Amino acid sequence: MSDIKEEDWNLPPCKYECEIRPKCYCIISYGLVTNFKMSLFVLDLDHTADIQIHAWGDTLTEAFEQCANAMFHYMTEVDYIEMRESYDIEVEGHDMVTLLYNFLDELLFIFSAEPNYIARKVKIEEFDTTAFKIKAKGFGEEFQLGKHPQGTEVKAITFANMQIHENEGKCEVFVILDI
Amino acid sequence: MVVRPYNEELEYLERKTPFKWEIKKGFQPNMKVEGVFYVNTFLEKLMLEELQNSCRPGMIGGFLPGVKQIANVAALPGIVHKSIGLPDIHSGYGFAIGNMAAFDMDDPQSIVSPGGVGFDINCGVRLLRTNLFEKDVQPVKEQLAQSMFDHIPVGVGSKGIIPMNANDLEEALEMGMDWSLREGYAWAEDKEHCEENGRMLNADSSKVSMRARKRGLPQLGTLGAGNHYAEIQVVDEVYDKWAAKKMGIENIGQVCVMIHSGSRGFGHQVATDALLEMEKAMKRDQIEVNDRQLACARINSNEGQNYLKAMSAAANFAWVNRSSMTFLARQAFAKQFKLTPDDLDMHVIYDVSHNIAKMEQHYIDGKLKHLLVHRKGSTRAFPPYHPLIPVDYQLTGQPVLIGGTMGTCSYVLTGTEQGMNETFGSTCHGAGRALSRAKSRRNIDYNDVLEKLSQQGISIRVASPKLVMEESPESYKNVTDVVNTCHEAGISKKTVKLRPIAVIKG
C-alpha cells in the first residue's frame, strides 16, 4: 500500500462494455458519464457461459486500464468503492496476450485472496511493450460485505478469442471472462 | 476451423434414432472417432440453430457452436469410442459444457485436458432428505429460507464461517470428506453416499500452487455465485416407487434440500495454473489440436500427472465444501424445528460430481480398458450391480441428481446398463443455458421474474440482483426436455421429480 497523490483522485471516463453490441450496456447500468464510441467490430458474440469485455482507449495503456476497471465493475457497483488506499502490482508475460492475461489474473487474485482488494480504478505506471512488463497501481479498498453490493463472481480469465488491436489513436482489447 | 455453408455441414450430421444424432468424421479435421449427441425435437432445433448462426458469412473468431466443439474433442489423441454430447450441451471453453470423452490410459499418446473438466473442478449436486412434509414447512417457509441464507455464506466476496487455517486446508485437500468427518462436520453415512466416498486417493496437495491455496482458504464453506444454489424442495412426482424408497423418499410432498456448488476459487486457480503449464507442454510434445483452447498434456507427462493430482485435491476441496454447507443447512433446519438433524432424518441421499476426470474401467468391443473419463457438465450414472456404487443402491443403480435453475424442477434419475454401453455410464447434469447472460439481462425484467416466482409459491433470497435475470428459467433450456431425452434415449431412468419452495443463491 502507498499514498494516494492529488492527481490520483481523478476518475477516468468509462471506455468499456461487457459485450459487443451497438449500445454500451455497462454505462447504462452503472450510470456513469462517458465518451462512448461505436464498436468497430460487429460480431454475434452472445455466449452462453461467459461474459466478454470490450475495452478501448487512445493508447494501449489506457485500453488495458479500462479492461481492468471493467472487470472490477462487473464484481460490484463501482460507485460504492472508496479510494482509501492504493495497491501496487507487477506482472510480466512472454507476449502481449499473456501480459494482458497475467495482468487481469493478478487483479482477480488480489480480489479473491488476501487482501480482498477491489479497485475503483487501475492506473498503469510503467508499460514495457518490448520486455512485456507492467507496473500498475490500484485505487480502492478491501471488499466488505454490506458496504459493497455483490455483483457476479469471476471464475477465471480465459484466452478464448482474446484480441488486442493497436491502431493509431484507438486501441482495443477483447477478453472473455469465465463466470 | 472449417467453414462450409450450412447445408454442406448438415451432410456430416445424421439422425440415428429419434433421440440420437451422429457427427461423421470429416466434420472437423483429424477426427479419430465419430461424435454423437442426444436431443429431442425441441433441443435439436436449438443445436442446429447454433450451428446455422456460426455458418453465416463474415463470422470471424466468434464462439464455436456445440457440435463443432464435440467434433474437435473427437480429434484429440487417444480418444476412444465416441465424443459424446448430452442433451444439455452448450458452447464452453474448449470442450462444450455437457460433453464427455474417454481416453485410453494404456495409449502413450493419450491426453488429459483441464478444459475437459472445466474451471469449477468437482462442481456437483448433493441431495439431503428430511422426514418433514410440505405442510410442516409451508407455515415457516420464509423464516427457514432466511435462516438458510443467514447460515450459508453466498455470493461474490463472501467468506466461509468454518474456522480454518493453512494446516487445516492442507489436511482437507489430502483427506476430503474424511477431514469433515474427523472435524465433526459430516456423518459417517454421508461418505457412503458420495462418489468416491468423498475422497480422491491420488490427491497431492504439493502439486497445488500457493495462489490456489490463498484463493481457497477464505472460500471454504461458501456457496459461490452464478448458477450455484441451495434449495428447499418437495417431492412432486415419483416415477419409480421402489427406487425412491431405497433413497428414503416415501411420498409426494416430502421435503428435501439440494446443494449445488463446487471447489470455488481453489479449483478455478488449479485449472488456470494447469492451462498455462499445458500451453508450453503442447509445444514441446507437438500435440496438435483443432482449437487452441483445447490445452492438454499427455497423461504420462509431468504436466498431465501434476494436473491430475492437483485436480484430485480440488475435488476433495469441493467435497469438504459441500459437506460444510450440509452441516450449515442441518443447523438451520435443527434451529427452526427445534429437533436435531438426526431426528429430522437429514441423511445425504447422494452427492454427484459433474465436472471431473476419473480413471475408470469400461468394456470397449468386449475388451476391458483402463480409461481416463472426462465429464464436463455431465454426471456419472452407473447401472445396478456396478462395484463402485454404494451397497444401498446396488439394485436400483446409482442415483443421478439433476439440478434445475431458479424456480424450475430438479430430478433424481438412476443409471442404466444401456448408459454404461453407450455413454460410459454418463448422463446430463442440468438444464444448460439457452440465452447468454447479457441477453437475459436485456430481455428479462427483474420484477417479472420475482412476481412469477412468488406466484409459484417460491421464496427467494439472492445476494446479487443481476443474477435474478441471468438465472431466470427463461435463460435455460427446459430441464424437463433434457431429462426426458435422457430417459427416452435410455441412458438414465427417471425416478423422482422435485419442485423448489425456497431458493438461496449468490
Side-chain angles (χ1 to χ4, degrees), chain A residues 69-135:
Chain A
N69 293 344
M71 183 174 77
F72 281 122
H73 299 181
Y74 203 67
M75 297 172 178
T76 187
E77 280 172 49
V78 62
D79 294 343
Y80 290 85
I81 307 172
E82 274 183 78
M83 296 203 286
R84 286 152 54 108
E85 49 201 3
S86 67
Y87 195 89
D88 296 309
I89 61 159
E90 264 188 71
V91 288
E92 50 186 74
H94 56 82
D95 55 21
M96 235 8 160
V97 171
T98 50
L99 181 62
L100 176 59
Y101 182 95
N102 291 340
F103 174 58
L104 295 174
D105 190 52
E106 184 62 27
L107 293 168
L108 175 63
F109 177 71
I110 60 168
F111 171 77
S112 316
E114 290 286 323
N116 302 110
Y117 187 82
I118 189 149
R120 177 80 170 83
K121 72 164 187 180
V122 176
K123 200 173 123 198
I124 295 179
E125 304 204 304
E126 282 173 43
F127 196 150
D128 187 336
T129 49
T130 46
F132 304 112
K133 279 187 188 158
I134 284 179
K135 274 189 192 165

Side-chain angles (χ1 to χ4, degrees), chain A residues 19 47-48 150 153 161 178, chain B residues 61 63 119 154 264 433 436:
Chain A
E19 53 176 329
H47 191 252
T48 46
Q150 290 171 289
E153 191 169 63
N161 199 24
D178 193 36
Chain B
F63 295 103
F119 280 107
V154 300
R264 314 288 295 105
R433 291 199 74 87
S436 73

